[in-house]
Amino acid sequence: MTTERKRVFSGIQPSGEVHLGNYLGAVKNWVDLTDDYECIYCIVDLHAITIPYQVDELPERVFDVAVSLVASGLEPDRCILFVQSHVPEHVELQWLFNTVTPLGDLGRMTQFKDKSERVESVSAGLLNYPVLQAADILLYLAEYVPVGEDQRQHLELTREIARRWNGRFGEYFPEPDALIIGPGRRVLGLDGVAKMSKSQDNIIPLLATPDELASVIRTAVTDPARKRRDDPGNPHVCNIFSLHGAFSTTAEREEIEARCQTAEIGCVDCKLTLANNIAENLAPIRDRADELRAKPRLIREILSEGAGRARAIARPVMAEAYDRMGLRRVGSE
Ligand code: TRP
């Protein structure tokens, strides 16, 4: 049966500390998908170097993300987990795709426009970022790509690249569909306004200890109209209440909702309950991460085995792509 499962590919940037936005917005769903799909998940270090970064910190960032992913349930018997730069075919296919990608399309990508405003000098790598992303996906002939709403445009371009390539060199690459995660779920950060992200400095770390959770969540913005403890609150505009949605029981949420609206409970108590529930929910992941962190060799083995399995799929696809483009290699089958 395994061979009939549809293939899923997704990637995560090695931003170091995986946070609840990554977890609720992607990783949790990635784990669920392993039940029904053949899943390939990639830590995209080659994407991470398209903006300024600290060279000596990158290996650790990759390691930390790997620990968080495995601890969250992406075990090697459920999926292929690997690091992008360990499979050089990603770069090879990207080059081939560069030749069919319209320059104008790249310049129109919102993420490119956003990021290029924030860096001092805009590299060709930043512009070509979505071409590498297309190569990531199509190298495995993946049909589904679980991503957040913000990646929809990149996926549309991936489909366009597949279409153009197929149009020129013959029908080969599928046009992958986005699996938009949890009805376009966007997890907001501690500020309650921006998407939770490392660069916004508004994250709740996935592996925070119970104490850290309590102190981080204490600083979170709630209903901005609720200025004093006695003011009634509106849970439906409160980011803390929406996080309760992921970590607290229905009964608890109903009680909080009612008692916030009547000012029977204040934000401090509501936040404490949330911090406790997150701590309890995520305790198994945190424990597993502690164990894994103490076994760096095991993590390295998982990643290298994952790269081996990924390459076994990627190699023949790459050979076919070269062949169809008239780049037949001497000694290849
Ligand atoms: N650009 C994606 C992000 O920032 C990460 C990514 C790279 C990706 N390659 C991918 C996601 C391939 C899905 C499929 O979230």
Side-chain angles (χ1 to χ4, degrees):
M1 282 309 277
T2 355
T3 51
E4 282 169 27
R5 294 193 304 170
K6 301 248 190 227
R7 192 174 285 154
V8 156
F9 183 97
S10 199
I12 185 168
Q13 295 237 21
S15 58
E17 215 166 16
V18 171
H19 53 72
L20 288 190
N22 304 131
Y23 181 70
L24 298 174
V27 178
K28 195 165 185 267
N29 189 259
W30 288 10
V31 178
D32 293 342
L33 288 170
T34 60
D35 289 336
D36 301 313
Y37 296 88
E38 181 192 355
C39 295
I40 306 178
Y41 298 127
C42 183
I43 301 173
V44 293
D45 55 350
L46 295 171
H47 279 108
I49 60 171
T50 57
I51 50 170
Y53 70 103
Q54 218 50 52
V55 174
D56 52 346
E57 286 174 8
L58 188 56
E60 208 174 290
R61 281 163 54 189
V62 171
F63 177 80
D64 286 348
V65 169
V67 165
S68 291
L69 295 182
V70 178
S72 298
L74 296 176
E75 319 252 353
D77 58 341
R78 303 189 62 88
C79 64
I80 297 178
L81 176 68
F82 73 104
V83 178
Q84 192 182 29
S85 64
H86 297 179
V87 179
E89 284 79 4
H90 288 247
V91 183
E92 289 185 72
L93 188 59
Q94 191 234 354
W95 181 256
L96 303 189
F97 283 167
N98 271 328
T99 66
V100 298
T101 307
L103 185 58
D105 286 6
L106 294 176
R108 272 192 291 278
M109 292 290 121
T110 26
Q111 205 164 75
F112 170 69
K113 289 196 271 186
D114 285 353
K115 284 190 185 170
S116 54
E117 269 172 26
R118 280 189 263 144
V119 293
E120 230 166 73
S121 112
V122 180
S123 70
L126 193 59
L127 181 71
N128 287 330
Y129 179 114
V131 187
L132 180 59
Q133 182 162 345
D136 293 342
I137 299 163
L138 297 175
L139 184 56
Y140 302 96
L141 308 176
E143 290 175 85
Y144 295 104
V145 185
V147 280
E149 188 62 40
D150 63 332
Q151 293 297 312
R152 200 189 274 281
Q153 201 186 22
H154 284 165
L155 206 73
E156 213 25 76
L157 184 67
T158 299
R159 295 167 59 89
E160 174 68 15
I161 290 172
R163 262 196 303 276
R164 285 185 177 248
W165 194 95
N166 291 345
R168 177 80 177 81
F169 305 108
E171 208 54 45
Y172 183 54
F173 291 108
E175 284 181 38
D177 285 313
L179 287 176
I180 296 292
I181 294 171
R185 168 174 215 135
R186 247 164 62 97
V187 180
L188 300 182
L190 293 168
D191 49 14
V193 181
K195 184 179 153 178
M196 190 177 289
S197 105
K198 187 98 178 165
S199 62
Q200 298 284 339
D201 203 17
N202 65 2
I203 68 164
I204 304 176
L206 174 68
L207 302 178
T209 62
D211 284 348
E212 284 162 355
L213 281 170
S215 83
V216 162
I217 290 171
R218 187 149 36 90
T219 67
V221 174
T222 53
D223 170 5
R226 190 173 190 194
K227 299 239 162 24
R228 277 164 310 184
R229 168 70 180 78
D230 300 339
D231 293 338
N234 177 2
H236 303 286
V237 300
C238 176
N239 189 35
I240 289 297
F241 185 69
S242 82
L243 283 169
H244 272 288
F247 294 102
S248 306
T249 63
T250 314
E252 250 173 335
R253 263 178 294 149
E254 283 170 0
E255 189 186 328
I256 288 169
E257 185 178 11
R259 298 179 69 203
C260 168
Q261 285 165 333
T262 54
E264 274 170 87
I265 54 162
C267 295
V268 174
D269 290 335
C270 178
K271 285 173 171 178
L272 260 182
T273 310
L274 177 66
N276 288 335
N277 290 352
I278 295 178
E280 201 177 293
N281 263 274
L282 299 182
I285 296 181
R286 218 170 37 246
D287 292 347
R288 181 98 177 93
D290 286 342
E291 287 168 28
L292 289 166
R293 218 192 298 282
K295 298 180 197 157
R297 261 229 311 268
L298 175 63
I299 292 291
R300 254 180 276 133
E301 271 166 29
I302 290 174
L303 295 177
S304 108
E305 190 242 20
R309 286 160 71 199
R311 268 199 114 172
I313 302 171
R315 272 215 196 87
V317 173
M318 205 54 228
E320 182 73 23
Y322 274 130
D323 192 46
R324 288 185 182 228
M325 290 182 75
L327 301 156
R328 206 161 289 126
R329 284 177 291 181
V330 179
S332 68
E333 62 280 18

